[in-house]
Amino acid sequence: MSLSEKIKQLRQEFLAELNDAVSFKDFENIKVKFLGKKGPVQALMLELKNSSPEERPAHGKQINDLKVEFIALCDENLSRMKLREMDERLSQEAIDPTLPGRRHYLGRMHPVMQTMDRTIEILMGMGFSVRLGPELDTDYYNFEALNFAPDHPARDMQDTFYLNNEWLLRTHTSNVQIHTMEEFSPPLRIVAPGRTFRNETISARSHVFFHQLEAFYIDRNVSFADLFATMDEFWSKLLGEKVVTRFRPSYFPFVEPGLEVDVRCTACRGKGCRLCKQSGWLEVCGAGMIHPNVLKKGNIDPEQYSGFAWGMGIERPTILQHDIRDIRMFWQNDLRFLSQFP
Ligand code: DAH
């Protein structure tokens, strides 16, 4: 076969393959196959030396033209395929600028946690350290060591979630008192925040779980006067103004004497309003001097040491601050409610 015929045949082969090609990859393969260093075009070039010197320039030009044509056809198809593949991709990835954007909401601190954090911060500023106790605890820590008599009504099945005879969900954060006394010796200034549980009917005013904060101070010569002064300072800091406190005798098994602490209503200054139910006072916490029996259970000698303690709910001050009418709203995870507390 003459060189001219070979060129003609190769051109036909090439055009046939080009005709069958559909993808970018196909055209790329053809280009490599025909124009590569070991491909047929290069082979023809090598054959040039067999041509007579007269024919050689013409044959050389023919092969060169063929090469230029091949390259042009390949490149043309390759760029066409590239455009088409980009078009396809773009049509799949297309963005619709008329779609409304997706809003990203910033997380916020839950209002109850805001009160909790603020309270802890104040007490840390007054020299208290934070201790967390277990939510799942034994009757011993929740009741017995806190001087609850075996037949005390607070142990009643109606109030306490018992798991069995021994284990329960703590009904107050006072359980941290004993745990801490067992681990550390006085002086102790501790604040114990956390979740507590009581088996009550869920309503606008009560829930089966709520949050409390227990604080206590044990050292030599801690007196009733220290408790009063601490209450005045603490409640003034928390409520953001110099408050008037009032102490009423009350009973809690783990303190003697026991008190209930009232703060003169910060909304009406004692005149009587809806917030204080016309009484002029807000009940804010229970408190008292830690009972010698409790100190003994914590391996602390009541002859040498004394202490005071107070325990408060966290939901209630939050409700007072924001005038929330239904305690259940705290735990419904409704963003319309939660987003109102920046
Ligand atoms: N633990 C009590 C309760 O849950 C609150 C309390 C009252 C805590 C008096 C105290 C205290 O430390 O002294 O109702």
Side-chain angles (χ1 to χ4, degrees), residues 11 54 84 97 109 129 133 142 178 206 218 252 271 298 317-318 321 326 337:
R11 187 166 179 274
E54 302 79 52
R84 193 206 288 172
M109 185 89 97
S129 307
N142 196 81
I178 304 296
S206 66
I218 303 168
F252 302 96
K271 287 197 200 74
T318 314
Q321 186 192 346
D326 190 331
F337 172 75

Side-chain angles (χ1 to χ4, degrees), residues 171-172 174 177 198 212 214-215 252 254-255 259 286-288 309-311:
T171 58
H172 51 187
S174 305
Q177 284 195 23
R198 279 180 209 179
Q212 279 194 343
E214 180 89 7
F252 302 96
F254 38 92
V255 281
L259 305 168
W310 80 92

Side-chain angles (χ1 to χ4, degrees), residues 26-232:
D26 290 344
F27 288 108
E28 230 173 24
N29 288 339
I30 291 171
K31 188 173 179 184
V32 171
K33 177 175 168 190
F34 283 87
L35 294 158
K37 267 201 184 119
K38 291 187 175 147
V41 175
Q42 196 58 30
L44 287 178
M45 285 289 196
L46 294 176
E47 267 188 49
L48 259 185
K49 63 179 186 299
N50 300 333
S51 301
S52 65
E54 302 79 52
E55 286 176 321
R56 204 175 287 156
H59 284 163
K61 184 173 184 311
Q62 276 181 304
I63 298 172
N64 213 41
D65 287 350
L66 187 74
K67 190 174 172 182
V68 169
E69 188 189 6
F70 280 12
I71 292 176
L73 282 171
C74 282
D75 287 351
E76 189 186 305
N77 278 295
L78 282 170
S79 58
R80 189 170 52 83
M81 292 313 292
K82 206 176 214 160
L83 279 178
R84 193 206 288 172
E85 283 179 11
M86 191 162 75
D87 269 355
E88 273 169 18
R89 209 179 55 234
L90 281 180
S91 72
Q92 280 161 13
E93 284 176 0
I95 31 169
D96 178 353
T98 63
L99 273 180
R102 263 177 234 161
R103 253 180 105 150
H104 291 272
Y105 291 95
L106 265 192
R108 290 159 200 258
M109 185 89 97
H110 192 282
V112 168
M113 293 305 138
Q114 290 189 23
T115 309
M116 190 108 110
D117 276 11
R118 205 153 45 84
T119 313
I120 292 169
E121 212 172 294
I122 289 168
L123 286 168
M124 283 174 59
M126 292 169 72
F128 286 74
S129 307
V130 178
R131 291 275 302 156
L132 303 177
E135 293 178 1
L136 188 61
D137 211 348
T138 58
D139 182 274
Y140 177 80
Y141 288 101
N142 196 81
F143 292 128
E144 190 185 329
L146 290 170
N147 203 33
F148 280 82
D151 58 351
H152 194 282
R155 296 184 182 217
D156 200 310
M157 293 292 282
Q158 282 169 8
D159 286 321
T160 309
F161 286 113
Y162 280 97
L163 280 86
N164 53 35
N165 275 339
E166 190 185 1
W167 290 90
L168 47 78
L169 294 177
R170 68 172 171 194
T171 58
H172 51 187
T173 42
S174 305
N175 67 332
V176 182
Q177 284 195 23
I178 304 296
H179 285 291
T180 310
M181 289 182 215
E182 280 182 350
E183 240 184 288
F184 301 96
S185 9
L188 290 172
R189 272 191 300 268
I190 301 295
V191 47
R195 191 176 273 206
T196 50
F197 307 84
R198 279 180 209 179
N199 193 356
E200 288 183 31
T201 309
I202 298 176
S203 72
R205 321 188 93 250
S206 66
H207 210 294
V208 288
F209 67 83
F210 49 100
H211 295 78
Q212 279 194 343
L213 183 145
E214 180 89 7
F216 54 96
Y217 175 32
I218 303 168
D219 201 351
R220 291 177 202 277
N221 304 317
V222 174
S223 74
F224 221 37
D226 294 318
L227 170 58
F228 288 158
T230 305
M231 284 294 96
D232 274 3

Side-chain angles (χ1 to χ4, degrees), residues 174 214-215 223-232 235 245-263 282-291 307-312:
S174 305
E214 180 89 7
S223 74
F224 221 37
D226 294 318
L227 170 58
F228 288 158
T230 305
M231 284 294 96
D232 274 3
W235 285 105
T245 46
R246 180 173 85 169
F247 302 88
R248 286 178 288 116
S250 184
Y251 176 74
F252 302 96
F254 38 92
V255 281
E256 179 58 36
L259 305 168
E260 255 166 276
V261 183
D262 297 340
V263 167
L282 302 169
E283 240 181 81
V284 286
C285 66
M289 300 305 291
I290 298 174
H291 198 291
F308 64 77
W310 80 92
M312 55 185 275

